[in-house]
């Protein structure tokens, strides 16, 4: 797909729209110390909104279009994927997964590329394991499996020390989450397709023995989030059922939000729907993305009377996923200033759930980029 030139020398690069259960997401990654990893046309910005300082990992070379980044829990390293672009500015079908080290905040430029981990078809969704010794990635392989006539993602785990990798599963969702103890990976798996959508399961993969367990059956689910304690899942689906049973969609019914218990697969249907939901780090709140706004609920998922802040729903088929900086502040993107490799004319903001205050982070981010460019 073709990219578009932006102003002030910043190119707004368009990430590939992937035919999967959900498109390539615009999801920001935050370290345990609150540092945000942001993929931009110039490179990967690592910004700390508490101190107002940051650093930038420069773009590797002109043929790279940074598209997705995830920072390690301790903030010392970043994984990022870069889409290839040609001399005309068109994005290609391959992505390089790159591992880079991060200098302390306040230094204008980080150490840059330390190693290419893999080259995969299409864009990819990256996740660090909790101990950051290995990482996982979901990508569309370009092949079909198990009689499903659609190119769906598969998930792999890689050890960056020796680049050894193992397959987790095929016909999965692009996005996935590690359990907090690092012993499992949760994902959505497509098992069949019918007129109501994709029929499948929420699956837990055991990283020690490679075995899987179906948590619950789902119909037409595209995203989910795992609570910080690993005990609960929130997702939107057309219908749900216990393992071994087939979920049945009610006639003319819209998708609904569900809370699912990981241990036994029991679930509770909530009122309303959302385009995405994300647990706060302490697990006490859930940020719901709906109606071009972020609504913050308690653990029960009951929607409040008014939203915390405005938010975009997606950019050029890249769906926005809200992210928490801390247990009291959630990140949002609104259309305004130039931001990111898969977005344009937008501004990064932080909303405080206790005070209701909304502040812009964009000026600090732009200052980090300016300092890096003058080095």
């Amino acid at each position: 797909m073709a990219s578009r030139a932006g102003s002030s020398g910043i190119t707004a690069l368009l990430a590939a729209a992937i035919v999967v259960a959900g498109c390539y997401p615009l999801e920001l990654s935050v370290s345990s110390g609150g540092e945000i990893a942001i993929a931009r046309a110039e490179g990967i910005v690592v910004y700390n909104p508490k101190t107002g300082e940051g650093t930038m990992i420069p773009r590797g070379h002109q043929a790279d279009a940074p598209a997705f980044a995830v920072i390690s829990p301790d903030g010392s390293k970043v994984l990022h994927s870069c889409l290839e672009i040609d001399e005309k500015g068109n994005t290609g079908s391959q992505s390089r997964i790159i591992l880079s080290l991060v200098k302390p905040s306040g230094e204008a430029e980080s150490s840059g590329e330390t190693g290419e981990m893999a080259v995969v078809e299409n864009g990819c969704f990256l996740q660090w394991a909790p101990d950051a010794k290995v990482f996982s990635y979901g990508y569309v392989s370009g092949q079909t499996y198990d009689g499903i006539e659609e190119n769906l993602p598969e998930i792999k785990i890689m050890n960056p020390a020796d680049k050894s990798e193992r397959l987790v599963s095929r016909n999965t969702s692009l996005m996935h989450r590690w359990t907090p103890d690092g012993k499992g990976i949760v994902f959505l798996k497509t098992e069949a397709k019918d007129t109501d959508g994709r029929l499948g399961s929420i699956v837990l993969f055991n990283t020690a023995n490679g075995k899987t367990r179906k948590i619950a059956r789902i119909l037409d689910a595209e995203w989910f989030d795992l609570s910080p304690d690993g005990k609960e899942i929130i997702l939107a689906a057309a219908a749900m059922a216990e393992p071994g049973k087939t979920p049945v969609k009610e006639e003319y019914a819209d998708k609904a939000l569900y809370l699912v218990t990981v241990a036994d697969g029991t679930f509770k249907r909530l009122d309303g729907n959302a385009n995405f939901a994300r647990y706060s780090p302490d697990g006490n709140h859930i940020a719901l993305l709906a109606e071009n706004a972020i609504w913050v609920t308690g653990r029960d998922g009951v929607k409040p009377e008014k939203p915390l802040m405005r938010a975009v729903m997606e950019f050029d088929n890249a769906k926005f996923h809200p992210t928490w900086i801390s247990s009291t502040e959630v990140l949002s993107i609104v259309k305004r200033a130039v931001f990111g490799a898969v977005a344009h004319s937008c501004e990064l903001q932080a909303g405080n759930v206790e005070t209701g205050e909304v502040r812009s982070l964009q000026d600090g981010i732009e200052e980090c980029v300016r300092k890096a460019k003058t080095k």
Side-chain angles (χ1 to χ4, degrees), residues 325-346:
I325 307 176
S326 66
S327 292
T328 57
E329 278 197 306
V330 63
L331 291 174
S332 174
I333 295 177
V334 296
K335 290 185 178 180
R336 199 164 297 171
V338 174
F339 169 88
V342 293
H344 54 88
S345 300
C346 55

Side-chain angles (χ1 to χ4, degrees), residues 150-225:
E150 182 178 349
N151 294 339
L152 293 172
E154 60 186 44
I155 299 170
K156 291 183 177 181
I157 297 174
M158 176 175 281
N159 184 336
D162 58 9
K163 299 183 182 179
S164 60
E165 60 182 14
R166 59 190 291 211
L167 178 69
V168 173
S169 186
R170 295 190 171 101
N171 293 344
T172 68
S173 53
L174 195 64
M175 69 170 299
H176 52 279
R177 300 288 191 221
W178 284 79
T179 57
D181 58 9
K183 297 180 179 180
I185 296 177
V186 178
F187 56 89
L188 308 181
K189 186 175 179 66
T190 298
E191 298 160 349
K193 293 177 64 177
D194 62 20
T195 56
D196 288 329
R198 293 182 175 86
L199 180 66
S201 298
I202 307 171
V203 177
L204 175 62
F205 173 82
N206 187 310
T207 57
N209 58 28
K211 294 182 179 180
T212 59
R213 175 173 67 86
K214 294 181 179 180
I215 298 172
R217 302 295 308 287
I218 50 176
L219 178 63
D220 207 22
E222 297 181 352
W223 59 262
F224 73 96
D225 195 37

Side-chain angles (χ1 to χ4, degrees), residues 307-330:
L308 172 66
M309 58 201 306
R310 295 185 300 117
V312 300
M313 307 298 280
E314 63 178 54
F315 280 107
D316 297 321
N317 294 320
K319 296 183 179 180
F320 171 56
H321 291 180
T323 305
W324 293 81
I325 307 176
S326 66
S327 292
T328 57
E329 278 197 306
V330 63

Side-chain angles (χ1 to χ4, degrees), residues 5-274:
S7 60
S8 305
I10 300 176
T11 303
L13 299 167
L14 178 63
I18 302 173
V19 184
V20 296
C23 296
Y24 196 114
L26 178 55
E27 180 173 293
L28 300 179
S29 171
V30 181
S31 72
S32 57
E35 296 162 310
I36 311 166
I38 306 164
R40 291 176 54 114
E42 305 90 340
I44 309 300
V45 175
V46 178
Y47 179 70
N48 190 326
K50 293 180 181 178
T51 64
E53 296 182 331
T55 184
M56 188 171 83
I57 301 167
R59 181 172 163 180
H61 48 75
Q62 290 303 110
D64 279 346
F68 192 88
V70 57
I71 192 167
S72 60
D74 65 1
S76 66
K77 48 193 174 182
V78 169
L79 279 167
H80 46 109
S81 65
C82 296
L83 291 165
E84 62 177 6
I85 55 174
D86 61 22
E87 63 279 0
K88 295 181 180 180
N90 298 317
T91 55
S93 62
Q94 290 189 323
S95 291
R96 294 197 307 143
I97 300 176
I98 300 166
L99 173 62
S100 299
L101 301 181
V102 180
K103 284 185 179 180
S105 292
E107 297 191 28
E109 188 172 300
S110 279
S111 52
E113 184 173 326
T114 61
E116 180 181 287
M117 298 290 102
V119 178
V120 299
E121 290 295 318
N122 300 303
C124 57
F125 183 87
L126 303 164
Q127 293 280 274
W128 282 107
D131 62 6
K133 292 181 179 179
V134 299
F135 67 90
S136 54
Y137 63 97
Y139 74 104
V140 180
S141 66
Q143 300 182 51
T144 61
Y145 297 97
D146 302 328
I148 299 175
E149 296 302 318
E150 182 178 349
N151 294 339
L152 293 172
E154 60 186 44
I155 299 170
K156 291 183 177 181
I157 297 174
M158 176 175 281
N159 184 336
D162 58 9
K163 299 183 182 179
S164 60
E165 60 182 14
R166 59 190 291 211
L167 178 69
V168 173
S169 186
R170 295 190 171 101
N171 293 344
T172 68
S173 53
L174 195 64
M175 69 170 299
H176 52 279
R177 300 288 191 221
W178 284 79
T179 57
D181 58 9
K183 297 180 179 180
I185 296 177
V186 178
F187 56 89
L188 308 181
K189 186 175 179 66
T190 298
E191 298 160 349
K193 293 177 64 177
D194 62 20
T195 56
D196 288 329
R198 293 182 175 86
L199 180 66
S201 298
I202 307 171
V203 177
L204 175 62
F205 173 82
N206 187 310
T207 57
N209 58 28
K211 294 182 179 180
T212 59
R213 175 173 67 86
K214 294 181 179 180
I215 298 172
R217 302 295 308 287
I218 50 176
L219 178 63
D220 207 22
E222 297 181 352
W223 59 262
F224 73 96
D225 195 37
L226 180 67
S227 63
D229 58 13
K231 296 181 179 180
E232 186 179 77
I233 290 167
I234 187 169
L235 81 163
M240 292 199 63
E242 299 173 0
K245 296 184 179 181
T246 301
V248 179
K249 180 181 178 181
E250 297 179 10
E251 191 173 10
Y252 306 119
D254 295 327
K255 286 186 179 181
L257 288 173
Y258 291 88
L259 292 177
V260 185
T261 303
V262 173
D264 59 11
T266 56
F267 55 87
K268 178 176 70 172
R269 179 171 174 164
L270 306 177
D271 292 332
N273 191 9

